Structure formats: structure tokens, C-alpha cells
Amino acid sequence: MREAGITHSLSFFPNLDALQKALDIAQKTGVKLVVSCPELKSDAEKTVRLVMNHPAVAGYHLMDEPAIGLFKGLGEWAKRIQTVDSKHFCYVNLFPNFADSAQLGTKSYLKYVREYTDQVPVAFLSFDYYPVMKDRLSKTWYENLEQIAAESHKTGKPFWAFALTTNYDEGHVTPQSLASMRLQVYSDLAYGAQGIQYFTYWTPF
């Protein structure tokens, strides 16, 4: 991963012991980890104290694609972590704009994003949109970049965006050329993304 230019990794570990072993390995290779294990939720303060000074810690993963009703709890969780460790970020990744109202918990995607920035004290925004389909690009991808970029500008918080590197269902396709990768990454950067995330370094199938 390091040789490929990847600086951070998000993996899910079954317990704190496995995470601590992974942090030691990550330190040797020069890749930082976004911390994720069950103990981070069940005993946040204790877990953070145990790992916060490890040089391979990049931040703390809270949740992927939460509905709006979960924002209050995520905000409280983030604050608990930040009272112990204010140096490392808390990470939550948002739905894309084609998620339905049942997923978002609201009919308005803009309300979804704005409520998130109001309720969850994170240092940056993150959302996932995988636009590379078998025969086209998704229609609302650039609109989603515009929406997130506008909220980023409004709140003064940078945003991270994704590039699809491998398929995860029948509708998507693993990019067949560097051009398709560059289209995603350069579009993210053109809209102001300060972090590029890849789904994924490995194939899920």
C-alpha cells in the first residue's frame, strides 16, 4: 500500500488486541490507520487513551453512511473522543445524493448534509459516490460534488471524496484504464477535495 502512495488505511478489527498489533505493523510500513474496533464504541475514552499516542494512529472511524436520526448520537460520541484526544480526527462517511429518503432519514439531501455539519463535530466532510458504471457515468455525480463542495465552503471544513477502483455489484465495473481513474480523481480535485479515498485497495469478491 505504501509503495502505491496510500498514506492511510481503514480496516475493521474484531477487537482492541488485533488493532494494536495492526498499529505496530502499520508503523513499520509507514501507513497510518483510521482506528476501528468494537471497544471504540463500548468504552471510547479508555480505548482512545490506549492508542492515541501510537504514531500509526490517523484518526477514529465512527460510522459509514448514517441516517440523519443517528447524527445526535454520533456527535456525542465524537465529543467523548475529542475530550480525550483533540489531535486526531473523527471520521464519518456520508451517503451520496441518490440515497433514498429511507436511507437518509429525510427527503432532502441538502438537509441531510447540513444537519450533519451542525450536529457532528468533525474536521472534514466525507461522502462516497462511485460513478463508473458499465456503460456510463452516474448522472448526479457532479451535482453531488457541487453540493458537498458548497457545504465545505460554507462551513470552512475541507472534504474528502472517493474514486472507484474495483466493482462491488453488477452495475459497476472495475476501471479498465488509467483514464477512468484520472477522471474520478481529477474531478474530485477540481471541486476542491483535499483527500482522495479509494474503494478499495483490495477486491471485495
Side-chain angles (χ1 to χ4, degrees):
M1 293 175 71
R2 181 63 178 172
E3 290 173 356
I6 296 172
T7 59
H8 293 58
S9 176
L10 171 57
S11 296
F12 305 100
F13 296 96
N15 53 59
L16 180 58
D17 288 341
L19 169 65
Q20 289 176 313
K21 291 176 183 177
L23 285 169
D24 291 339
I25 295 170
Q27 181 183 0
K28 294 176 182 178
T29 60
V31 174
K32 294 196 172 189
L33 301 185
V34 182
V35 170
S36 180
C37 66
E39 292 88 340
L40 182 62
K41 187 169 187 179
S42 62
D43 197 344
E45 291 87 349
K46 180 181 177 180
T47 302
V48 171
R49 288 190 184 97
L50 288 171
V51 303
M52 60 185 284
N53 293 318
H54 198 292
V57 170
Y60 305 97
H61 176 261
L62 304 189
M63 191 172 184
D64 184 48
E65 297 183 335
I68 198 170
L70 298 175
F71 289 169
K72 181 180 178 181
L74 287 170
E76 293 170 351
W77 185 9
K79 289 173 184 176
R80 288 170 58 199
I81 291 172
Q82 291 167 355
T83 57
V84 179
D85 182 4
S86 60
K87 295 182 179 179
H88 297 104
F89 61 76
C90 289
Y91 176 89
V92 177
N93 183 60
L94 298 177
F95 275 114
N97 64 359
F98 59 81
D100 60 33
S101 58
Q103 292 172 303
L104 298 176
T106 176
K107 294 181 179 180
S108 168
Y109 184 73
L110 291 180
K111 179 180 180 181
Y112 171 75
V113 176
R114 288 168 183 164
E115 285 294 321
Y116 170 72
T117 57
D118 286 344
Q119 296 188 49
V120 187
V122 292
F124 59 89
L125 306 177
S126 173
F127 79 109
D128 54 15
Y129 198 129
Y130 309 122
V132 180
M133 312 297 286
K134 286 186 176 181
D135 56 354
R136 59 183 173 83
L137 288 177
S138 295
K139 292 181 179 180
T140 62
W141 175 40
Y142 285 110
E143 178 186 24
N144 208 162
L145 281 167
E146 290 177 4
Q147 292 165 329
I148 295 295
E151 189 66 16
S152 172
H153 179 75
K154 176 185 175 183
T155 60
K157 296 181 179 181
F159 75 92
W160 292 8
F162 272 85
L164 181 70
T165 59
T166 184
N167 70 301
Y168 63 94
D169 63 20
E170 294 183 357
H172 292 80
V173 63
T174 299
Q176 301 297 303
S177 68
L178 280 176
S180 60
M181 290 292 297
R182 287 170 177 154
L183 173 64
Q184 296 178 81
V185 172
Y186 292 167
S187 293
D188 291 342
L189 294 173
Y191 278 89
Q194 297 298 299
I196 300 297
Q197 305 170 84
Y198 297 95
F199 185 88
T200 63
Y201 176 73
W202 58 88
T203 175
F205 302 108

